[in-house]
Amino acid sequence: MKELRKFKTYEGFCHILEEKIIFTSDGNLENYTAKDTSENKVIYTISIIFTVLCFLYLTYNYFKNSDWFRLLFLFGIVVFTIYNSFRKRKYSNTSVIEREKIIRVTFHQAKKCFSRAYFRVDFIDDKNKSRSKKIILPGSLCRGLSDSNKAFDIMLEQGIINRV
């Protein structure tokens, strides 16, 4: 029965337990160890700051040389990078989600040749902040439709997602 509560995702496996949802890379709960992703966030933030500073330096040089096309192009990249980094701050990369802290789960169908099917799980994290996690399902080249249907059925059976 425990095997029925596991489905394949794009990056590994999702295990639906009575009190929590656990994400593993190899599908074995015995090998699972809780990962702290705060170090990844620090590295991500530092890399975004470094990238923005490099682009701003290049933008300044282009401004000094009156190269307006490159200036606007790089400035657009800087604005786009800053916008996306702020937009994606609410997404979480946690490997465990407590079921009682889940606010809502929505299922998004795949658009053929454009996107994959995924679940969006809105939950409250340990710091009482509202976060989201995308559970991306396998694509159409890797039995995507059957895996998506299986995952949807498991989520319905466990009462995590309501029938739309």
Side-chain angles (χ1 to χ4, degrees), residues 80-105:
F80 181 73
T81 304
I82 292 171
Y83 169 74
N84 274 338
S85 65
F86 279 112
R87 189 177 63 126
K88 293 186 180 193
R89 290 182 88 187
K90 66 179 180 173
Y91 288 108
S92 175
N93 195 21
T94 186
S95 57
V96 176
I97 299 174
E98 301 290 331
R99 282 181 72 166
E100 68 262 4
K101 294 185 177 184
I102 293 176
I103 300 169
R104 167 180 60 246
V105 177

Side-chain angles (χ1 to χ4, degrees), residues 28 115 126:
N28 291 331
S115 68
D126 297 334

Side-chain angles (χ1 to χ4, degrees), residues 106-112 115-118 145 148-149 152:
T106 56
F107 180 70
H108 299 271
Q109 287 283 354
K111 295 178 181 120
K112 192 165 181 103
S115 68
R116 296 173 187 254
Y118 65 93
L145 186 60
S148 296
N149 290 338
F152 187 76

Side-chain angles (χ1 to χ4, degrees), residues 54-60 62 68-80:
C54 287
F55 277 124
L56 284 176
Y57 175 74
L58 289 173
T59 304
Y60 173 72
Y62 291 140
W68 301 111
F69 178 73
R70 290 183 182 173
L71 170 76
L72 290 176
F73 181 72
L74 284 179
F75 189 72
I77 290 174
V78 168
V79 169
F80 181 73

